[in-house]
Amino acid sequence: MTGQSTALVVGASRGLGLALVEEWLGRGWRVIATARGRSDPLEKLATRFPSSLEVEVVDINDAGTVRALRERLGGRRVDVLFINAGIARDIEASPVGARETDFLDMMLTNAFSPVRAVEILRDLVPTGGTIAIMSSELGSIANATGSWQLYASSKAALNMLMKGYAAKHADDRHALLLVAPGWVRTEMGGSDAILSVEQSIPLVVDMVDANRGKAGLRYVDRFNNPLPW
Ligand SMILES: NC(=O)c1ccc[n+]([C@@H]2O[C@H](COP(=O)([O-])OP(=O)(O)OC[C@H]3O[C@@H](n4cnc5c(N)ncnc54)[C@H](OP(=O)(O)O)[C@@H]3O)[C@@H](O)[C@H]2O)c1
C-alpha cells in the first residue's frame, strides 16, 4: 500500500472507538470517525489533527445515515473499515427478567446494523483491505459461561451474520475480523474491568495491522489468537 492509509471508524464518540481513532492518528493514518451527534472528545482530537481527522455523523441503526456517508465518501479508498458501535443493556438479566426492547435493541445495534453497515460500505475497501467489527470474547458460544447472556447472544448473532457475509462474498479478498478487545474499563465495561483502554487498543490496532492482506474471516482476540466460535 502506498501513501497515507485511511481508517473509517464507525461509532467513535467515546470509549474504545475514540481510542482506535486516536491510536491510528498517532500512527500517521488519516481517519474518518463517526458519531451519532456532537462528540467533544472527537472535536478536541480534530483540533490536534486538523489535516488527518474527518468527523462524520452516522447512527448505525439508521440505514439512511450510513448510505449518506457512503455517498459522501464516493471515490475514496478506506484501508480499514472498523465498525465499533455497540450497546449493553440488562447485563445481569435472563430472558425472564429483561425488558424485551432491551434485547431487541442489542440485537439491532450489535448484530444486524453492523453487518448492514458493512454491506453498504464494503466497496470503499479495496482488495487487500480490512473490514473489522468489534465483537467480544462473550460472543463465543463454545466458551459461554452465562455472563452478560443477553449481550453475549447479540455478539454471537453478530458472529453468525458475519459467517453468512463471508460465505456470500467468498470472492472478496478482504481480511474480515471479528475483534475481541478484552474486558476494558469504559462506560460499557465498567470500573471493575481488568484492562485500561491503553492496555487494549494499541494491541487491537497491531492485530488489525498483522491481518492486512490476509483474506477470509477470523474471530480473534487482541493478541491475534483465534477464539472458538
Ligand atoms: N468495554 C469492553 O469491555 C468491551 C469488551 C468487548 C467488546 N466491547 C465492544 O466494543 C465496542 C465499544 O464498546 P465501549 O466499551 O467503548 O462502549 P461505550 O463506551 O459504551 O461506547 C459505545 C460506542 O458505541 C456508540 N454507539 C452506540 N449505539 C450507536 C448507534 N446506534 N450508532 C452509532 N454509534 C453507536 C456510542 O455512541 P454514543 O456516544 O452516541 O452513545 C459509543 O461511541 C462495542 O461494540 C462493545 O460491545 C467492549
Side-chain angles (χ1 to χ4, degrees), residues 7-28:
L8 167 55
V9 183
V10 176
S13 63
R14 55 193 166 88
L16 302 184
L18 179 69
L20 283 170
V21 172
E22 191 164 5
E23 186 67 27
W24 267 308
L25 288 170
R27 295 184 188 203

Side-chain angles (χ1 to χ4, degrees), residues 161-178:
L161 283 169
M162 276 308 283
K163 277 271 189 183
Y165 174 93
K168 204 169 130 198
H169 298 289
D171 292 341
D172 282 10
R173 304 303 296 160
H174 292 147
L176 301 174
L177 303 174
L178 287 158

Side-chain angles (χ1 to χ4, degrees), residues 125-173:
V125 183
T127 297
T130 302
I131 297 175
I133 305 185
M134 202 63 103
S135 182
S136 169
E137 278 82 354
L138 296 176
S140 168
I141 292 175
N143 284 345
T145 62
S147 176
W148 293 42
Q149 64 168 302
L150 302 179
Y151 167 85
S153 302
S154 71
K155 293 295 188 177
L158 164 67
N159 292 357
M160 176 62 97
L161 283 169
M162 276 308 283
K163 277 271 189 183
Y165 174 93
K168 204 169 130 198
H169 298 289
D171 292 341
D172 282 10
R173 304 303 296 160

